[in-house]
Amino acid sequence: MTTLETILLTVLIACWLCFSIVFLINTIQSAVYDRRREKREKEQAARDLEYHEKRMNDFK
């Protein structure tokens, strides 16, 4: 291989590596965010149910 081909190949591999790292970080952040969102939604549902039950008891 010539020097130019080596340089281009190195640049291409570096770009691919950067995109792969960004994709990996994005996937990890999405998984963490989804997990936190699910937890918040469960807590919100529990609070809503508790509030509804209290309101129904007060209504009687």
Side-chain angles (χ1 to χ4, degrees), residues 44-60:
Q44 180 67 33
R47 283 193 304 271
D48 289 346
L49 179 62
E50 185 179 308
Y51 175 76
H52 177 71
E53 290 173 349
K54 182 182 181 301
R55 293 284 296 192
M56 289 297 109
N57 287 336
D58 291 347
F59 183 69
K60 291 179 181 180

Side-chain angles (χ1 to χ4, degrees), residues 28-57:
I28 291 170
Q29 284 180 336
S30 294
V32 169
Y33 177 76
D34 288 344
R35 185 169 242 210
R36 287 180 183 171
R37 183 175 45 84
E38 287 176 8
K39 185 178 178 183
R40 281 194 306 265
E41 288 174 355
K42 285 181 182 178
E43 291 171 354
Q44 180 67 33
R47 283 193 304 271
D48 289 346
L49 179 62
E50 185 179 308
Y51 175 76
H52 177 71
E53 290 173 349
K54 182 182 181 301
R55 293 284 296 192
M56 289 297 109
N57 287 336

Side-chain angles (χ1 to χ4, degrees), residues 1-52:
M1 276 200 275
T2 64
T3 305
L4 182 61
E5 289 174 338
T6 305
I7 292 171
L8 289 175
L9 182 62
T10 304
V11 169
L12 180 64
I13 291 173
C15 288
W16 177 79
L17 183 62
C18 288
F19 282 120
S20 297
I21 290 171
V22 167
F23 180 74
L24 179 65
I25 290 171
N26 188 22
T27 303
I28 291 170
Q29 284 180 336
S30 294
V32 169
Y33 177 76
D34 288 344
R35 185 169 242 210
R36 287 180 183 171
R37 183 175 45 84
E38 287 176 8
K39 185 178 178 183
R40 281 194 306 265
E41 288 174 355
K42 285 181 182 178
E43 291 171 354
Q44 180 67 33
R47 283 193 304 271
D48 289 346
L49 179 62
E50 185 179 308
Y51 175 76
H52 177 71

